[in-house]
Amino acid sequence: MTTTRAVLAARVLLALLLLAGSARAQHAPPPAAPHFTAVRAGRLIDPATGSVATDQIILIKDRKFEAIGPKVAIPPGAEVIDLSGLTVLPGLVDTHNHLAITYKVDPERNNYYVTVITDSTPLRAIQAASNGIQMLASGFTIVRDMGNNGNYADTALRQAIEEGWLPGPQIINAGIIIGGMGGQFWPTPEMGIEKHVVYPEYLDADTPDEIVKAVRQNMLYGAKVIKICADCKPWGYTVDEVKLVVAEAAKGGLKVEAHAQTVEGARRAIEGGVWSIAHDLGLDDANHKLMAKKGTFRAGTETPLSLTDHQTAAGFKRDVASLRNAWENKVNITFSTDADYYVPGKTRGEVAIEFIETWKAAGIPARDILRAMTTTGYRCAQTESTRGPIKPGLAADLVAVPGNPLETIDALRDVQFVMKDGVVFKQKGVMTPAPFFHGGPVNGLVR
Ligand SMILES: [Zn+2]
C-alpha cells in the first residue's frame, strides 16, 4: 500500500469509528436516577479530632458521601438505615498485611518457605479474596498488601474488587518484594539458581540497572506501592540505592516501603527517603527521631503475646517498648499486623484486630490508637482525599460498633455494621455481601 492510500484508508476507518461512536451515544440509556441512602448515627466519631457528635444524619448519594450533620434533609425515596443505637466511625486501615499467603501449623509448621512451594498463585489469589472479605467484616476498608503474593495475586485481588466481582477492602498492593539476591530467603543453589524455587516471592535486584528494572516490572504488573528489603542480607541497599528506588517509583507516582530488620538498615532507608518502614526491629530512639523529622510512616507490625505461635515474651517486650518510644517521639505511627498466617478459630480480620493488645500494653491512649488505625493510615495509604474520612465527596465507607472506641479500643472487636462504597456489607453483625457479587466487571476494567 502506498503512503497516500494508507493515509486515506486510515482516515476512512477513523470516520467510520467516529460515526459508530456517535450512533452509540445517541442510543445510550439515560443516566439512572441517583440512589440516596441516609444513615442515622447515634454517635459519630471523628478520629482526626477525637470528637464525638450525637444524632447525626449521614447522607450518601450512590457511592459517595453527600452531606453530614444533625439536620441534613433526607430526599424522598431514600433508603434509611437506623444506627441510632451505635457508634459510627470511618473504616480501619491495616498498613501491612499479606492477604495472599497463609502459612499454618499443618503441614508447614508455620514455615512460609514451605507455603510458597505448596500453594500455587491461583490458590493464593482465592485465599486472598477470602482473607479480604474477612478483613472487611472486621471493619478494615483499606489494606496495604505488602508482598509475598506469588506471581501478582495481589494485583488480581485489587482488580477483582475494584472491577466489582466481589467485596473486599481497598487494596494498595506491592507486587513482588525487591531485594538483593535471595530476598528474605536463604536458598540453596539448587533452589535459587537451578529450580527457581524461591521465586517469584522475591525479585533479585543487586545493581542499579536491576533495581530500575525491578521497580518497573512491579509498576507494569499493577503494583501501587513498592516494597524493598533494605537489609535482608549483609550487603543490603546503600542510601544511594534506596534513593534510586524512590526516584524510579516516583516516575509511576508510587511510594516506597522498606522492610528493615537492623538499626543501620532502617537508618539508610529513612535517609534514602522511603515513605514507610516495616517492622520495628531496627527502630530505636535515634531512628524514631529521624522518622519524626522526615515524616516517615511507621508500620511496626507489633505482634501481641496472645498470638502465642507468632510472638515470644522477649519479642513482645521489645515491640511494646519500641511502639511506646515511637509514640513519645510523635512518629507517624500506623496500625500494621504483618498477618500472613492462620490462627485456628480466628478470621484474618480477627487476627488483625488482636494487635490492639500490643498498643494497649504500650500505654497508648485509645484515641491515639484509633487515629493510627484511621487518619494516619489513610495518609500512609494515600487515600485521605478519596477514601477514609467521612466527608462529602469521598467514598462512602463506614463502620459501626455498640461501644465507644475513643474510651475503650476493644469496642472495635464488635463491628456490627460495615458499608463500603455506599453498599451495606454487614448488618447486625452478619455479613450481607450479595450486592457486591457480579457476573462481570460492572465498574469497568481496571489496570
Ligand atoms: Zn510483612
Side-chain angles (χ1 to χ4, degrees):
M1 200 185 279
T2 66
T3 311
T4 322
R5 284 179 103 187
V7 169
L8 191 65
R11 280 185 183 160
V12 169
L13 185 63
L14 184 63
L16 284 172
L17 284 172
L18 287 172
L19 269 174
S22 65
R24 252 203 311 277
Q26 281 162 19
H27 293 103
H35 177 77
F36 285 101
T37 308
V39 174
R40 292 187 183 278
R43 293 174 298 277
L44 174 61
I45 288 181
D46 179 0
T49 57
S51 59
V52 187
T54 53
D55 297 325
Q56 298 289 297
I57 294 167
I58 304 167
L59 186 65
I60 294 138
K61 182 181 171 190
D62 296 327
R63 295 164 66 96
K64 292 183 176 172
F65 292 119
E66 176 79 1
I68 298 108
K71 293 196 172 81
V72 171
I74 300 177
E79 180 189 349
V80 177
I81 296 171
D82 183 14
L83 302 181
S84 55
L86 298 177
T87 304
V88 173
L89 64 150
L92 309 176
V93 189
D94 182 347
T95 60
H96 191 116
N97 200 302
H98 299 279
L99 296 175
I101 190 163
T102 305
Y103 58 86
K104 348 170 240 311
V105 171
D106 187 18
E108 62 260 54
R109 297 187 186 281
N110 282 327
N111 182 337
Y112 81 111
Y113 280 37
V114 181
T115 317
V116 305
I117 298 168
T118 57
D119 292 3
S120 68
T121 298
L123 175 60
R124 291 169 65 178
I126 294 168
Q127 293 171 353
S130 178
N131 282 331
I133 289 170
Q134 295 165 44
M135 290 295 286
L136 190 58
S138 287
F140 289 91
T141 52
I142 299 168
V143 171
R144 293 208 316 159
D145 194 293
M146 299 311 298
N148 294 122
N149 293 289
N151 241 335
Y152 298 98
D154 56 338
T155 297
L157 173 67
R158 178 178 59 71
Q159 288 173 315
I161 293 169
E162 290 182 10
E163 290 184 357
W165 294 92
L166 79 168
Q170 177 70 46
I171 303 292
I172 292 92
N173 62 303
I176 303 181
I177 300 169
I178 299 168
M181 285 188 79
Q184 278 176 258
F185 288 174
W186 289 92
T188 59
E190 289 78 8
M191 290 166 73
I193 299 170
E194 295 173 17
K195 304 286 187 193
H196 298 282
V197 171
V198 301
Y199 304 94
E201 289 307 294
Y202 298 93
L203 279 177
D204 282 347
D206 293 278
T207 65
D209 282 357
E210 288 170 351
I211 288 170
V212 166
K213 198 157 191 173
V215 173
R216 289 182 186 180
Q217 176 180 318
N218 273 334
M219 294 196 289
L220 179 63
Y221 297 129
K224 296 298 172 188
V225 61
I226 296 297
K227 164 103 175 276
I228 59 168
C229 263
D231 55 359
C232 291
K233 296 286 174 289
W235 43 91
Y237 285 135
T238 64
V239 173
D240 282 344
E241 285 165 343
V242 173
K243 283 181 179 171
L244 177 62
V245 176
V246 170
E248 194 60 28
K251 291 179 187 170
L254 271 55
K255 302 294 188 187
V256 177
E257 169 156 303
H259 163 115
Q261 55 197 45
T262 63
V263 169
E264 179 55 22
R267 187 193 58 75
R268 293 196 306 263
I270 301 162
E271 285 190 359
V274 298
W275 184 249
S276 55
I277 297 281
H279 316 303
D280 61 12
L281 289 164
L283 299 183
D284 62 359
D285 184 66
N287 275 340
H288 279 148
K289 285 186 163 60
L290 192 59
M291 289 169 79
K293 198 172 134 199
K294 291 179 80 91
T296 317
F297 291 94
R298 180 184 187 281
T301 68
E302 308 84 359
T303 309
L305 204 48
S306 48
L307 299 178
T308 45
D309 285 348
H310 305 278
Q311 182 60 291
T312 61
F316 183 66
K317 200 174 161 200
R318 190 205 59 236
D319 284 351
V320 166
S322 177
L323 183 55
R324 175 84 195 177
N325 181 268
W327 177 73
E328 287 171 351
N329 275 302
K330 297 188 168 50
V331 175
N332 282 327
I333 47 176
T334 69
F335 186 80
S336 59
T337 64
D338 207 15
D340 51 6
Y341 43 80
Y342 170 50
V343 177
K346 284 192 191 302
T347 67
R348 180 60 67 91
E350 287 165 347
V351 168
I353 211 75
E354 188 67 28
F355 279 63
I356 58 175
E357 293 302 319
T358 316
W359 290 69
K360 283 157 60 184
I364 298 178
R367 61 184 283 167
D368 287 357
I369 302 176
L370 188 61
R371 192 175 295 144
M373 299 176 86
T374 55
T375 314
T376 315
Y378 308 144
R379 285 167 52 217
C380 180
Q382 296 182 280
T383 68
E384 74 270 31
S385 60
T386 55
R387 185 185 300 280
I390 299 178
K391 283 184 186 165
L394 272 63
D397 295 356
L398 58 82
V399 165
V401 296
N404 181 355
L406 285 175
E407 289 167 4
T408 311
I409 199 68
D410 283 278
L412 297 179
R413 290 179 181 274
D414 188 15
V415 169
Q416 289 287 308
F417 181 91
V418 177
M419 173 181 279
K420 170 101 188 306
D421 290 312
V423 180
V424 177
F425 172 77
K426 189 179 189 183
Q427 202 159 19
K428 297 192 170 100
V430 178
M431 282 190 263
T432 55
F436 287 85
F437 289 109
H438 297 100
V442 289
N443 300 331
L445 294 177
V446 171
R447 285 274 166 224

